[in-house]
Amino acid sequence: MIGLFMYLRWVEIRNFRCIESLRVELAEGVSVFEGRNAVGKTSILEAVFYLLNGRSFGRGGIRGLVQKGATGLQVRGLACVAGIDHGIRIEQMSTNASRVVMNGGEVRNRSELIRTLPSMGASGQGVHRYVQERQRRVGVLDWLLFHVEPYFHQVWRRYARALQQRNAALKSGDVPG
């Protein structure tokens, strides 16, 4: 896989959906969570995704992530990327105030988090979409380029901004002839 390999050594979850408090030690390789329905397996996976990507794959906004009755949530972990450990912590208040800390320093934007911790989530229901939908296939390629080409994100953002401006100009009819 393009020279990038990442795994979590451990994850600690507090007040995230149905999980009041949980710490899971993980081994390098594949981890399997099994159990009855509605015991929190998906919440663990969502918390890990949230930790590594700075956003949830679920619906309902931040208020849906914070456990009922709690004022906020926290997800912490230790990720090993290409042999280098990275400590990560996300604290989210139900008021939408959040704080992301990686290796002792505050993370200002998601792209810094995503660049350092290459991860991708796909649900069993959504995997076929990567094959069937052109936009998702292109998104996967963009994600791969983002992690292997240092300037891709900068160029992609400038392109997206120019495209947005072009489309707005075309829509308004404000295009020089």
Side-chain angles (χ1 to χ4, degrees), residues 22-63:
L22 176 70
R23 181 180 170 102
V24 179
E25 301 284 334
L26 300 161
E28 187 173 348
V30 176
S31 297
V32 177
F33 297 100
E34 65 175 328
R36 298 181 327 273
N37 287 343
V39 294
K41 298 179 301 291
T42 302
S43 293
I44 294 170
L45 296 175
E46 185 176 9
V48 167
F49 185 87
Y50 184 70
L51 179 66
L52 300 176
N53 292 277
R55 67 180 175 89
S56 167
F57 61 65
R59 298 180 188 202
I62 187 59
R63 287 196 174 97

mmCIF file of all heavy atoms in Angstrom, residues 22-63:
data_model
loop_
_atom_site.group_PDB
_atom_site.id
_atom_site.type_symbol
_atom_site.label_atom_id
_atom_site.label_comp_id
_atom_site.label_asym_id
_atom_site.label_seq_id
_atom_site.Cartn_x
_atom_site.Cartn_y
_atom_site.Cartn_z
ATOM 1 N N LEU A 22 -14.558 3.325 27.688
ATOM 2 C CA LEU A 22 -14.004 2.086 27.140
ATOM 3 C C LEU A 22 -12.572 2.335 26.695
ATOM 4 O O LEU A 22 -12.269 3.366 26.090
ATOM 5 C CB LEU A 22 -14.835 1.626 25.923
ATOM 6 C CG LEU A 22 -14.331 0.392 25.174
ATOM 7 C CD1 LEU A 22 -14.498 -0.860 26.011
ATOM 8 C CD2 LEU A 22 -15.067 0.248 23.846
ATOM 9 N N ARG A 23 -11.708 1.396 27.003
ATOM 10 C CA ARG A 23 -10.341 1.416 26.483
ATOM 11 C C ARG A 23 -10.091 0.074 25.822
ATOM 12 O O ARG A 23 -10.353 -0.975 26.414
ATOM 13 C CB ARG A 23 -9.320 1.655 27.589
ATOM 14 C CG ARG A 23 -7.888 1.708 27.044
ATOM 15 C CD ARG A 23 -6.887 1.949 28.154
ATOM 16 N NE ARG A 23 -5.539 1.768 27.677
ATOM 17 C CZ ARG A 23 -4.707 2.757 27.363
ATOM 18 N NH1 ARG A 23 -5.103 4.006 27.462
ATOM 19 N NH2 ARG A 23 -3.490 2.495 26.946
ATOM 20 N N VAL A 24 -9.585 0.111 24.602
ATOM 21 C CA VAL A 24 -9.325 -1.105 23.841
ATOM 22 C C VAL A 24 -7.870 -1.096 23.403
ATOM 23 O O VAL A 24 -7.403 -0.128 22.791
ATOM 24 C CB VAL A 24 -10.248 -1.195 22.589
ATOM 25 C CG1 VAL A 24 -9.957 -2.455 21.801
ATOM 26 C CG2 VAL A 24 -11.707 -1.125 22.966
ATOM 27 N N GLU A 25 -7.149 -2.151 23.751
ATOM 28 C CA GLU A 25 -5.775 -2.348 23.275
ATOM 29 C C GLU A 25 -5.872 -3.131 21.967
ATOM 30 O O GLU A 25 -6.568 -4.147 21.897
ATOM 31 C CB GLU A 25 -4.965 -3.143 24.300
ATOM 32 C CG GLU A 25 -4.874 -2.502 25.669
ATOM 33 C CD GLU A 25 -3.899 -1.339 25.728
ATOM 34 O OE1 GLU A 25 -2.950 -1.302 24.919
ATOM 35 O OE2 GLU A 25 -4.092 -0.470 26.596
ATOM 36 N N LEU A 26 -5.184 -2.664 20.949
ATOM 37 C CA LEU A 26 -5.262 -3.299 19.635
ATOM 38 C C LEU A 26 -3.882 -3.790 19.205
ATOM 39 O O LEU A 26 -2.871 -3.145 19.489
ATOM 40 C CB LEU A 26 -5.809 -2.306 18.609
ATOM 41 C CG LEU A 26 -7.201 -1.765 18.923
ATOM 42 C CD1 LEU A 26 -7.474 -0.501 18.153
ATOM 43 C CD2 LEU A 26 -8.244 -2.818 18.625
ATOM 44 N N ALA A 27 -3.857 -4.891 18.516
ATOM 45 C CA ALA A 27 -2.606 -5.435 17.985
ATOM 46 C C ALA A 27 -2.432 -4.977 16.547
ATOM 47 O O ALA A 27 -3.394 -4.622 15.867
ATOM 48 C CB ALA A 27 -2.640 -6.962 18.050
ATOM 49 N N GLU A 28 -1.208 -4.990 16.087
ATOM 50 C CA GLU A 28 -0.940 -4.682 14.688
ATOM 51 C C GLU A 28 -1.653 -5.724 13.829
ATOM 52 O O GLU A 28 -1.641 -6.907 14.138
ATOM 53 C CB GLU A 28 0.565 -4.723 14.438
ATOM 54 C CG GLU A 28 0.972 -4.255 13.071
ATOM 55 C CD GLU A 28 2.490 -4.168 12.937
ATOM 56 O OE1 GLU A 28 3.195 -4.244 13.955
ATOM 57 O OE2 GLU A 28 2.935 -4.037 11.803
ATOM 58 N N GLY A 29 -2.299 -5.273 12.773
ATOM 59 C CA GLY A 29 -3.040 -6.183 11.901
ATOM 60 C C GLY A 29 -4.525 -5.924 11.995
ATOM 61 O O GLY A 29 -4.964 -4.826 12.325
ATOM 62 N N VAL A 30 -5.294 -6.926 11.731
ATOM 63 C CA VAL A 30 -6.749 -6.803 11.685
ATOM 64 C C VAL A 30 -7.342 -7.077 13.062
ATOM 65 O O VAL A 30 -6.970 -8.040 13.722
ATOM 66 C CB VAL A 30 -7.342 -7.794 10.658
ATOM 67 C CG1 VAL A 30 -8.858 -7.746 10.660
ATOM 68 C CG2 VAL A 30 -6.800 -7.499 9.267
ATOM 69 N N SER A 31 -8.267 -6.220 13.475
ATOM 70 C CA SER A 31 -9.012 -6.436 14.721
ATOM 71 C C SER A 31 -10.459 -6.725 14.373
ATOM 72 O O SER A 31 -11.007 -6.138 13.438
ATOM 73 C CB SER A 31 -8.956 -5.193 15.615
ATOM 74 O OG SER A 31 -7.639 -4.932 16.010
ATOM 75 N N VAL A 32 -11.073 -7.622 15.120
ATOM 76 C CA VAL A 32 -12.465 -7.996 14.888
ATOM 77 C C VAL A 32 -13.247 -7.734 16.162
ATOM 78 O O VAL A 32 -12.828 -8.142 17.250
ATOM 79 C CB VAL A 32 -12.579 -9.488 14.493
ATOM 80 C CG1 VAL A 32 -14.032 -9.896 14.333
ATOM 81 C CG2 VAL A 32 -11.794 -9.762 13.220
ATOM 82 N N PHE A 33 -14.353 -7.030 16.026
ATOM 83 C CA PHE A 33 -15.257 -6.795 17.151
ATOM 84 C C PHE A 33 -16.493 -7.628 16.913
ATOM 85 O O PHE A 33 -17.123 -7.515 15.865
ATOM 86 C CB PHE A 33 -15.645 -5.309 17.252
ATOM 87 C CG PHE A 33 -14.467 -4.419 17.514
ATOM 88 C CD1 PHE A 33 -13.879 -3.714 16.493
ATOM 89 C CD2 PHE A 33 -13.949 -4.298 18.794
ATOM 90 C CE1 PHE A 33 -12.797 -2.898 16.722
ATOM 91 C CE2 PHE A 33 -12.863 -3.490 19.044
ATOM 92 C CZ PHE A 33 -12.281 -2.783 18.002
ATOM 93 N N GLU A 34 -16.831 -8.464 17.878
ATOM 94 C CA GLU A 34 -18.021 -9.285 17.738
ATOM 95 C C GLU A 34 -18.880 -9.151 18.985
ATOM 96 O O GLU A 34 -18.386 -8.839 20.063
ATOM 97 C CB GLU A 34 -17.665 -10.745 17.472
ATOM 98 C CG GLU A 34 -16.947 -11.426 18.620
ATOM 99 C CD GLU A 34 -16.717 -12.896 18.353
ATOM 100 O OE1 GLU A 34 -17.530 -13.534 17.673
ATOM 101 O OE2 GLU A 34 -15.706 -13.417 18.854
ATOM 102 N N GLY A 35 -20.165 -9.381 18.812
ATOM 103 C CA GLY A 35 -21.088 -9.292 19.939
ATOM 104 C C GLY A 35 -22.518 -9.193 19.432
ATOM 105 O O GLY A 35 -22.774 -9.119 18.236
ATOM 106 N N ARG A 36 -23.434 -9.182 20.392
ATOM 107 C CA ARG A 36 -24.854 -9.080 20.048
ATOM 108 C C ARG A 36 -25.135 -7.731 19.387
ATOM 109 O O ARG A 36 -24.333 -6.805 19.457
ATOM 110 C CB ARG A 36 -25.713 -9.208 21.311
ATOM 111 C CG ARG A 36 -25.561 -10.542 22.017
ATOM 112 C CD ARG A 36 -26.449 -10.642 23.275
ATOM 113 N NE ARG A 36 -26.670 -9.394 24.000
ATOM 114 C CZ ARG A 36 -25.873 -8.903 24.953
ATOM 115 N NH1 ARG A 36 -24.759 -9.548 25.275
ATOM 116 N NH2 ARG A 36 -26.168 -7.781 25.572
ATOM 117 N N ASN A 37 -26.308 -7.629 18.796
ATOM 118 C CA ASN A 37 -26.744 -6.359 18.218
ATOM 119 C C ASN A 37 -26.905 -5.318 19.311
ATOM 120 O O ASN A 37 -27.275 -5.636 20.444
ATOM 121 C CB ASN A 37 -28.077 -6.536 17.483
ATOM 122 C CG ASN A 37 -27.905 -7.280 16.182
ATOM 123 O OD1 ASN A 37 -26.796 -7.387 15.666
ATOM 124 N ND2 ASN A 37 -28.989 -7.783 15.648
ATOM 125 N N ALA A 38 -26.623 -4.074 18.956
ATOM 126 C CA ALA A 38 -26.851 -2.905 19.813
ATOM 127 C C ALA A 38 -26.011 -2.896 21.093
ATOM 128 O O ALA A 38 -26.458 -2.426 22.126
ATOM 129 C CB ALA A 38 -28.330 -2.774 20.146
ATOM 130 N N VAL A 39 -24.767 -3.418 21.023
ATOM 131 C CA VAL A 39 -23.896 -3.365 22.200
ATOM 132 C C VAL A 39 -22.766 -2.351 22.033
ATOM 133 O O VAL A 39 -21.989 -2.156 22.964
ATOM 134 C CB VAL A 39 -23.312 -4.756 22.568
ATOM 135 C CG1 VAL A 39 -24.402 -5.706 23.008
ATOM 136 C CG2 VAL A 39 -22.485 -5.325 21.444
ATOM 137 N N GLY A 40 -22.641 -1.729 20.854
ATOM 138 C CA GLY A 40 -21.669 -0.662 20.657
ATOM 139 C C GLY A 40 -20.548 -0.931 19.670
ATOM 140 O O GLY A 40 -19.613 -0.140 19.578
ATOM 141 N N LYS A 41 -20.626 -2.022 18.910
ATOM 142 C CA LYS A 41 -19.551 -2.324 17.951
ATOM 143 C C LYS A 41 -19.392 -1.197 16.930
ATOM 144 O O LYS A 41 -18.277 -0.727 16.675
ATOM 145 C CB LYS A 41 -19.837 -3.653 17.234
ATOM 146 C CG LYS A 41 -19.900 -4.854 18.147
ATOM 147 C CD LYS A 41 -20.209 -6.136 17.397
ATOM 148 C CE LYS A 41 -21.506 -6.132 16.627
ATOM 149 N NZ LYS A 41 -22.726 -6.130 17.407
ATOM 150 N N THR A 42 -20.487 -0.749 16.371
ATOM 151 C CA THR A 42 -20.431 0.329 15.391
ATOM 152 C C THR A 42 -19.991 1.632 16.036
ATOM 153 O O THR A 42 -19.258 2.423 15.425
ATOM 154 C CB THR A 42 -21.796 0.510 14.693
ATOM 155 O OG1 THR A 42 -22.162 -0.732 14.075
ATOM 156 C CG2 THR A 42 -21.747 1.589 13.632
ATOM 157 N N SER A 43 -20.364 1.859 17.279
ATOM 158 C CA SER A 43 -19.925 3.073 17.988
ATOM 159 C C SER A 43 -18.413 3.076 18.167
ATOM 160 O O SER A 43 -17.774 4.137 18.075
ATOM 161 C CB SER A 43 -20.621 3.181 19.346
ATOM 162 O OG SER A 43 -21.997 3.412 19.170
ATOM 163 N N ILE A 44 -17.813 1.924 18.420
ATOM 164 C CA ILE A 44 -16.348 1.836 18.525
ATOM 165 C C ILE A 44 -15.718 2.215 17.187
ATOM 166 O O ILE A 44 -14.794 3.033 17.130
ATOM 167 C CB ILE A 44 -15.892 0.423 18.953
ATOM 168 C CG1 ILE A 44 -16.357 0.108 20.369
ATOM 169 C CG2 ILE A 44 -14.369 0.290 18.837
ATOM 170 C CD1 ILE A 44 -16.156 -1.351 20.762
ATOM 171 N N LEU A 45 -16.231 1.627 16.114
ATOM 172 C CA LEU A 45 -15.678 1.925 14.783
ATOM 173 C C LEU A 45 -15.856 3.397 14.428
ATOM 174 O O LEU A 45 -14.959 4.031 13.870
ATOM 175 C CB LEU A 45 -16.337 1.034 13.731
ATOM 176 C CG LEU A 45 -16.087 -0.461 13.880
ATOM 177 C CD1 LEU A 45 -16.880 -1.244 12.849
ATOM 178 C CD2 LEU A 45 -14.614 -0.780 13.806
ATOM 179 N N GLU A 46 -17.017 3.954 14.763
ATOM 180 C CA GLU A 46 -17.269 5.364 14.471
ATOM 181 C C GLU A 46 -16.345 6.265 15.300
ATOM 182 O O GLU A 46 -15.835 7.265 14.802
ATOM 183 C CB GLU A 46 -18.730 5.717 14.739
ATOM 184 C CG GLU A 46 -19.079 7.131 14.339
ATOM 185 C CD GLU A 46 -20.551 7.457 14.514
ATOM 186 O OE1 GLU A 46 -21.301 6.645 15.110
ATOM 187 O OE2 GLU A 46 -20.952 8.540 14.058
ATOM 188 N N ALA A 47 -16.110 5.912 16.553
ATOM 189 C CA ALA A 47 -15.205 6.692 17.404
ATOM 190 C C ALA A 47 -13.781 6.663 16.840
ATOM 191 O O ALA A 47 -13.086 7.682 16.830
ATOM 192 C CB ALA A 47 -15.228 6.157 18.833
ATOM 193 N N VAL A 48 -13.336 5.508 16.350
ATOM 194 C CA VAL A 48 -12.012 5.400 15.738
ATOM 195 C C VAL A 48 -11.949 6.261 14.482
ATOM 196 O O VAL A 48 -10.993 7.014 14.273
ATOM 197 C CB VAL A 48 -11.656 3.924 15.426
ATOM 198 C CG1 VAL A 48 -10.446 3.825 14.512
ATOM 199 C CG2 VAL A 48 -11.437 3.149 16.715
ATOM 200 N N PHE A 49 -12.976 6.183 13.648
ATOM 201 C CA PHE A 49 -13.027 7.008 12.437
ATOM 202 C C PHE A 49 -12.989 8.490 12.811
ATOM 203 O O PHE A 49 -12.265 9.281 12.214
ATOM 204 C CB PHE A 49 -14.300 6.679 11.638
ATOM 205 C CG PHE A 49 -14.377 7.379 10.318
ATOM 206 C CD1 PHE A 49 -13.794 6.820 9.190
ATOM 207 C CD2 PHE A 49 -15.033 8.596 10.188
ATOM 208 C CE1 PHE A 49 -13.861 7.462 7.961
ATOM 209 C CE2 PHE A 49 -15.103 9.244 8.969
ATOM 210 C CZ PHE A 49 -14.515 8.677 7.851
ATOM 211 N N TYR A 50 -13.744 8.870 13.825
ATOM 212 C CA TYR A 50 -13.806 10.241 14.318
ATOM 213 C C TYR A 50 -12.427 10.700 14.802
ATOM 214 O O TYR A 50 -11.985 11.812 14.499
ATOM 215 C CB TYR A 50 -14.834 10.305 15.450
ATOM 216 C CG TYR A 50 -15.097 11.673 16.014
ATOM 217 C CD1 TYR A 50 -15.770 12.638 15.275
ATOM 218 C CD2 TYR A 50 -14.700 12.000 17.304
ATOM 219 C CE1 TYR A 50 -16.026 13.891 15.808
ATOM 220 C CE2 TYR A 50 -14.950 13.242 17.838
ATOM 221 C CZ TYR A 50 -15.615 14.190 17.083
ATOM 222 O OH TYR A 50 -15.859 15.425 17.612
ATOM 223 N N LEU A 51 -11.730 9.849 15.510
ATOM 224 C CA LEU A 51 -10.397 10.166 16.012
ATOM 225 C C LEU A 51 -9.415 10.408 14.866
ATOM 226 O O LEU A 51 -8.630 11.354 14.896
ATOM 227 C CB LEU A 51 -9.890 9.025 16.896
ATOM 228 C CG LEU A 51 -8.500 9.175 17.489
ATOM 229 C CD1 LEU A 51 -8.455 10.321 18.496
ATOM 230 C CD2 LEU A 51 -8.070 7.873 18.145
ATOM 231 N N LEU A 52 -9.459 9.573 13.860
ATOM 232 C CA LEU A 52 -8.479 9.630 12.774
ATOM 233 C C LEU A 52 -8.830 10.632 11.683
ATOM 234 O O LEU A 52 -7.955 11.068 10.938
ATOM 235 C CB LEU A 52 -8.307 8.243 12.151
ATOM 236 C CG LEU A 52 -7.816 7.148 13.090
ATOM 237 C CD1 LEU A 52 -7.775 5.816 12.376
ATOM 238 C CD2 LEU A 52 -6.470 7.499 13.693
ATOM 239 N N ASN A 53 -10.117 10.996 11.570
ATOM 240 C CA ASN A 53 -10.554 11.876 10.488
ATOM 241 C C ASN A 53 -11.127 13.210 10.950
ATOM 242 O O ASN A 53 -11.416 14.071 10.128
ATOM 243 C CB ASN A 53 -11.595 11.164 9.618
ATOM 244 C CG ASN A 53 -10.998 10.021 8.851
ATOM 245 O OD1 ASN A 53 -10.409 10.224 7.795
ATOM 246 N ND2 ASN A 53 -11.102 8.817 9.383
ATOM 247 N N GLY A 54 -11.371 13.342 12.241
ATOM 248 C CA GLY A 54 -11.905 14.590 12.754
ATOM 249 C C GLY A 54 -13.359 14.833 12.426
ATOM 250 O O GLY A 54 -13.874 15.937 12.566
ATOM 251 N N ARG A 55 -14.029 13.801 11.967
ATOM 252 C CA ARG A 55 -15.466 13.893 11.688
ATOM 253 C C ARG A 55 -16.067 12.499 11.794
ATOM 254 O O ARG A 55 -15.361 11.501 11.775
ATOM 255 C CB ARG A 55 -15.741 14.501 10.318
ATOM 256 C CG ARG A 55 -15.297 13.653 9.157
ATOM 257 C CD ARG A 55 -15.613 14.331 7.830
ATOM 258 N NE ARG A 55 -15.085 13.579 6.728
ATOM 259 C CZ ARG A 55 -15.752 12.610 6.091
ATOM 260 N NH1 ARG A 55 -16.974 12.302 6.448
ATOM 261 N NH2 ARG A 55 -15.208 11.953 5.098
ATOM 262 N N SER A 56 -17.397 12.466 11.873
ATOM 263 C CA SER A 56 -18.106 11.201 12.017
ATOM 264 C C SER A 56 -18.585 10.694 10.664
ATOM 265 O O SER A 56 -18.834 11.479 9.760
ATOM 266 C CB SER A 56 -19.309 11.423 12.936
ATOM 267 O OG SER A 56 -20.186 10.328 12.870
ATOM 268 N N PHE A 57 -18.732 9.402 10.533
ATOM 269 C CA PHE A 57 -19.369 8.866 9.332
ATOM 270 C C PHE A 57 -20.867 8.704 9.534
ATOM 271 O O PHE A 57 -21.591 8.380 8.604
ATOM 272 C CB PHE A 57 -18.731 7.553 8.861
ATOM 273 C CG PHE A 57 -18.807 6.406 9.842
ATOM 274 C CD1 PHE A 57 -20.022 5.837 10.206
ATOM 275 C CD2 PHE A 57 -17.653 5.867 10.372
ATOM 276 C CE1 PHE A 57 -20.080 4.767 11.090
ATOM 277 C CE2 PHE A 57 -17.702 4.789 11.252
ATOM 278 C CZ PHE A 57 -18.916 4.252 11.612
ATOM 279 N N GLY A 58 -21.339 8.941 10.745
ATOM 280 C CA GLY A 58 -22.759 8.792 11.058
ATOM 281 C C GLY A 58 -23.540 10.072 10.825
ATOM 282 O O GLY A 58 -23.007 11.095 10.408
ATOM 283 N N ARG A 59 -24.809 10.002 11.122
ATOM 284 C CA ARG A 59 -25.703 11.153 10.952
ATOM 285 C C ARG A 59 -26.075 11.722 12.315
ATOM 286 O O ARG A 59 -25.889 11.100 13.330
ATOM 287 C CB ARG A 59 -26.972 10.714 10.229
ATOM 288 C CG ARG A 59 -26.693 10.190 8.852
ATOM 289 C CD ARG A 59 -27.972 9.764 8.188
ATOM 290 N NE ARG A 59 -27.636 9.099 6.939
ATOM 291 C CZ ARG A 59 -28.460 8.971 5.952
ATOM 292 N NH1 ARG A 59 -29.679 9.405 6.049
ATOM 293 N NH2 ARG A 59 -28.079 8.370 4.845
ATOM 294 N N GLY A 60 -26.642 12.909 12.294
ATOM 295 C CA GLY A 60 -27.188 13.476 13.518
ATOM 296 C C GLY A 60 -26.365 14.588 14.136
ATOM 297 O O GLY A 60 -26.746 15.152 15.134
ATOM 298 N N GLY A 61 -25.224 14.921 13.567
ATOM 299 C CA GLY A 61 -24.424 16.005 14.106
ATOM 300 C C GLY A 61 -23.778 15.657 15.429
ATOM 301 O O GLY A 61 -23.905 14.549 15.938
ATOM 302 N N ILE A 62 -23.109 16.639 16.014
ATOM 303 C CA ILE A 62 -22.337 16.407 17.235
ATOM 304 C C ILE A 62 -23.228 16.023 18.400
ATOM 305 O O ILE A 62 -22.860 15.210 19.229
ATOM 306 C CB ILE A 62 -21.448 17.632 17.580
ATOM 307 C CG1 ILE A 62 -20.539 17.301 18.747
ATOM 308 C CG2 ILE A 62 -22.293 18.850 17.889
ATOM 309 C CD1 ILE A 62 -19.621 16.143 18.518
ATOM 310 N N ARG A 63 -24.407 16.587 18.472
ATOM 311 C CA ARG A 63 -25.291 16.237 19.598
ATOM 312 C C ARG A 63 -25.638 14.752 19.590
ATOM 313 O O ARG A 63 -25.871 14.171 20.635
ATOM 314 C CB ARG A 63 -26.539 17.109 19.564
ATOM 315 C CG ARG A 63 -26.213 18.529 19.982
ATOM 316 C CD ARG A 63 -27.461 19.316 20.323
ATOM 317 N NE ARG A 63 -27.092 20.602 20.846
ATOM 318 C CZ ARG A 63 -27.041 21.724 20.133
ATOM 319 N NH1 ARG A 63 -27.345 21.694 18.859
ATOM 320 N NH2 ARG A 63 -26.697 22.858 20.692
#
